[in-house]
Amino acid sequence: DGFWLKLNGDVRVSWCVSLESYCEAVIKQVGIKSVYVDLVGATYLDSTTLGVLAKVAIYTQQYCRQQAVLFCANDDVKRLIISMGLSAVFDIKDSFGDIRLNFKDLPVLDCTEAEVKKVVIAAHKALMELTEDNRACFGGLVESLEQTQT
């Protein structure tokens, strides 16, 4: 019924293609009714990861018809998430109480530079949709990447 995604440590662009592909495929499955993102063990998320998470929240609204829940105990990560506007698309909670789950590691997909660039652009566009500050902050990056796309 529910899809749980757990991100630990320092999460950066190298995981973006695997993360987006996997999450989109799972959330679109019939029977997935809710999505939970566990960032309790996350220490840093780069902007591409934040954009992919925004897309996960959007997929959840589109396919599950409800808001995704994001668990975050790290104050620095929580401030970053809120400053990027993700509180508009996630129900943010400090912890998930006594729930204990077993997670499997997501394999990193082999991908081309063009595939990574495509996901980076889409992730940052998702962030730009959330706030005017994000639009101003990432507009130049997106424009530059789009001009160099192959």
Side-chain angles (χ1 to χ4, degrees):
D1 286 335
F3 169 56
W4 285 79
L5 174 67
K6 180 176 185 160
L7 301 178
N8 274 325
D10 190 335
V11 187
R12 295 185 182 262
V13 72
S14 58
W15 287 94
C16 67
V17 173
S18 300
L19 184 62
E20 182 177 9
S21 299
Y22 179 72
C23 290
E24 182 178 8
V26 170
I27 293 168
K28 285 182 176 180
Q29 291 178 15
V30 174
I32 297 295
K33 294 183 174 77
S34 53
V35 174
Y36 305 93
V37 178
D38 174 2
L39 299 181
V40 172
T43 55
Y44 177 79
L45 307 172
D46 70 4
S47 59
T48 301
T49 303
L50 292 166
V52 169
L53 289 178
K55 291 180 79 174
V56 165
I58 292 164
Y59 296 148
T60 302
Q61 289 174 340
Q62 185 176 3
Y63 295 101
C64 302
R65 304 282 187 246
Q66 65 177 315
Q67 196 170 38
V69 179
L70 186 142
F71 300 96
C72 182
N74 181 310
D75 288 337
D76 292 334
V77 173
K78 190 182 299 179
R79 271 192 296 278
L80 179 62
I81 288 166
I82 291 169
S83 73
M84 288 291 133
L86 291 173
S87 57
V89 292
F90 278 104
D91 177 12
I92 300 174
K93 300 189 180 297
D94 292 330
S95 69
F96 45 85
D98 295 332
I99 299 171
R100 296 290 176 251
L101 301 166
N102 292 320
F103 293 94
K104 295 179 183 175
D105 288 340
L106 179 65
V108 177
L109 298 175
D110 288 330
C111 53
T112 66
E113 183 179 332
E115 290 170 321
V116 172
K117 191 178 286 188
K118 181 180 173 185
V119 171
V120 170
I121 290 169
H124 285 85
K125 282 184 174 181
L127 285 176
M128 290 169 62
E129 293 290 322
L130 297 178
T131 71
E132 286 298 322
D133 286 345
N134 290 356
R135 192 176 337 278
C137 184
F138 299 120
L141 171 67
V142 168
E143 185 177 317
S144 175
L145 288 172
E146 286 178 331
Q147 289 174 357
T148 62
Q149 244 181 335
T150 53

